[in-house]
Amino acid sequence: MVLFANLVVIRRWFENRNLQFGLLMVTLLICYLAPVENLLALPLGLQWLVGSLLVALPILFSSILFAIVFQTRHAAALALGYNVLGAVLGGLMEYNAMLLGTKPLYLLSMIMYLGAFYFLRKEATPA
């Protein structure tokens, strides 16, 4: 997904950062609301397809978003440092999924991405 996301950004298929945030929020919301136990009622091939999409689409849209935002950064090392910090926080959140389940993880991800969206919007508006 990350490789495909880079291709999408290089080809300039999606350049709108607000659209990417929206698509990411929609996919995280779908993942949160989707009753995964209902996948068992589907044929095996469809289980794999739908399950794969539920896992892969948030990764795709967050990767596209990262690449779009990274292009605008003047201090690449600082931006990559924040990315590593986000990966560490994501790993810590993933451990919480063992305790709380995956549904709260989707909510926490939405809150964190909304915070990032807020700060990017605040940065873009002149004071």
Side-chain angles (χ1 to χ4, degrees), residues 4-21:
F4 183 66
N6 283 312
L7 177 66
V8 167
V9 172
I10 288 170
R11 299 282 174 123
R12 300 185 184 277
W13 291 336
F14 288 112
E15 290 184 332
N16 187 335
R17 190 167 61 187
N18 295 337
L19 174 65
Q20 288 306 316
F21 267 111

Side-chain angles (χ1 to χ4, degrees), residues 37-112:
E37 59 273 2
N38 290 352
L39 289 177
L40 297 174
L42 300 174
L44 184 61
L46 202 52
Q47 286 179 21
W48 289 4
L49 178 66
V50 173
S52 297
L53 287 174
L54 285 175
V55 170
L57 285 179
I59 296 169
L60 173 68
F61 292 128
S62 64
S63 298
I64 292 171
L65 188 57
F66 172 76
I68 290 172
V69 172
F70 185 73
Q71 285 179 338
T72 64
R73 302 291 102 184
H74 297 291
L78 183 61
L80 287 174
Y82 280 124
N83 188 48
V84 170
L85 177 63
V88 170
L89 288 174
L92 292 173
M93 287 172 36
E94 190 174 350
Y95 280 118
N96 286 326
M98 289 186 229
L99 177 65
L100 304 172
T102 56
K103 297 291 183 176
L105 188 63
Y106 289 122
L107 287 177
L108 193 53
S109 297
M110 285 190 276
I111 291 168
M112 293 180 84

